[in-house]
Amino acid sequence: MSKAVSALNGQSHTGFATVTEAGLKGMVTLRADLDSKALAKGLKALGLKVPAQRAIVTEGARSVAWMSPDELLVLCGYEEAAQVTADLEQALAKEHALVTNVSDARAMFTVSGAKGDEVLMKLCPIDFETLEAGEMRRSRAAQVAAAVWRSGPEELSVICFRSVAGYMMGLLEVSSRKGGEIY
Amino acid sequence: MLTLTCPCCGVTVEETELAPGGEAHLKRFGPGSSDEEFETYMFARKNPKGVHFERWRHAYGCGKWFLTARCTATLEVFGSYPAQTTEPPAELIAKIKEKRPGWEGYK
Ligand SMILES: [Zn+2]
């Protein structure tokens, strides 16, 4: 098998905040009836649970985020994504559901630093004052779709399509340049 | 700037996150309908100056369609509600009637 590489190979830039392409990440998208018992069981086997509306819950190295009323995104290690997909498929075999390993179709970024919010404030129509820890906010960054959440103290994470990873890094790099702080 | 609350994910967003879908509560006339019925369904819109019911899609967010009522003259938003309905919720109609006593109703 060929060697897997992330969209931008971990490229990083530091201005008034640090923006980094997060490297290979496992992502499994899941469309199903979110109230289904089989889904709850399948997630429980991974150490996760069905998140509430717009929530992202993290247990150890795995997270699961609410993406829409019938869609979740499981974040896990890149290497284990295929197995996680197979396990969830098995758990939902009798349900009207779709489980897909989208790890290679997406790119993930982190924006870290005390002024990290200000990098994204210029790009996304999100009210960062009210964006709480544990909330997954789907929106856009300039002209592309993006999902944003607080992944740690003074750290935000961003997911976008892999095909626009270069564009996203361009946005983040320019927006985080010194002198571009808002406050 | 128009801001609407998406009832599917509960977040209040500005219009650049949304895609407009035109007038809400249209009855579809497809195969088997008369030419007049189809023409009206296809082309005739109320386009009122005032209370208007609209379809919107939370395109950059949860991706779902929802419905809203707003005033085309003032951009005042009366409310939004799920798309799985054939008519606006009664409490929303009551709210609009209170604010716009002369309003002729949604039909
Ligand atoms: Zn929504």
Side-chain angles (χ1 to χ4, degrees), chain B residues 6 8-9 11 58 62:
Chain B
C6 170
C8 304
C9 65
V11 67
H58 193 186
C62 68

Side-chain angles (χ1 to χ4, degrees), chain A residues 22-162:
Chain A
L24 290 168
K25 292 283 166 189
M27 295 185 214
V28 179
T29 195
L30 203 158
R31 291 200 96 119
D33 172 2
L34 301 191
D35 294 326
S36 112
K37 282 195 180 121
L39 175 65
K41 241 178 121 184
L43 287 175
K44 201 176 170 195
L46 297 171
L48 298 166
K49 58 173 185 175
V50 182
Q53 188 184 57
R54 290 206 319 281
I56 173 165
V57 284
T58 302
E59 278 304 328
R62 292 175 182 152
S63 303
V64 58
W66 189 98
M67 303 301 273
S68 92
D70 57 0
E71 183 183 349
L72 301 179
L73 182 70
V74 178
L75 298 157
C76 59
Y78 182 82
E79 303 296 334
E80 64 168 352
Q83 191 57 49
V84 166
T85 307
D87 290 350
L88 285 170
E89 240 164 22
Q90 179 90 46
L92 291 164
K94 291 197 176 112
E95 303 271 322
H96 179 63
L98 179 83
V99 187
T100 310
N101 181 356
V102 294
S103 309
D104 295 320
R106 305 278 169 87
M108 191 169 137
F109 297 82
T110 56
V111 179
S112 52
K115 287 177 175 284
D117 283 16
E118 294 171 39
V119 177
L120 291 172
M121 273 177 198
K122 290 183 272 179
L123 304 170
C124 312
I126 297 174
D127 182 5
F128 283 92
E129 289 284 305
T130 60
L131 181 73
E132 298 191 23
E135 178 178 350
M136 176 57 109
R137 177 71 161 84
R138 290 179 75 180
S139 181
R140 63 180 177 86
Q143 300 190 41
V144 298
V148 177
W149 76 101
R150 297 194 186 281
S151 48
E154 300 191 354
E155 185 189 82
L156 288 147
S157 284
V158 181
I159 290 176
C160 68
F161 288 116
R162 183 179 179 124

Side-chain angles (χ1 to χ4, degrees), chain B residues 4-45:
Chain B
L4 300 173
T5 300
C6 170
C8 304
C9 65
V11 67
T12 299
V13 299
E14 49 100 319
E15 65 183 286
T16 66
E17 260 187 57
L18 305 166
E23 189 179 318
H25 303 299
L26 296 177
K27 184 174 186 293
R28 182 172 184 268
F29 288 95
S33 61
S34 71
D35 284 357
E36 280 98 85
E37 281 172 337
F38 185 72
E39 193 230 355
T40 309
Y41 157 67
M42 199 70 181
F43 300 112
R45 296 292 180 266

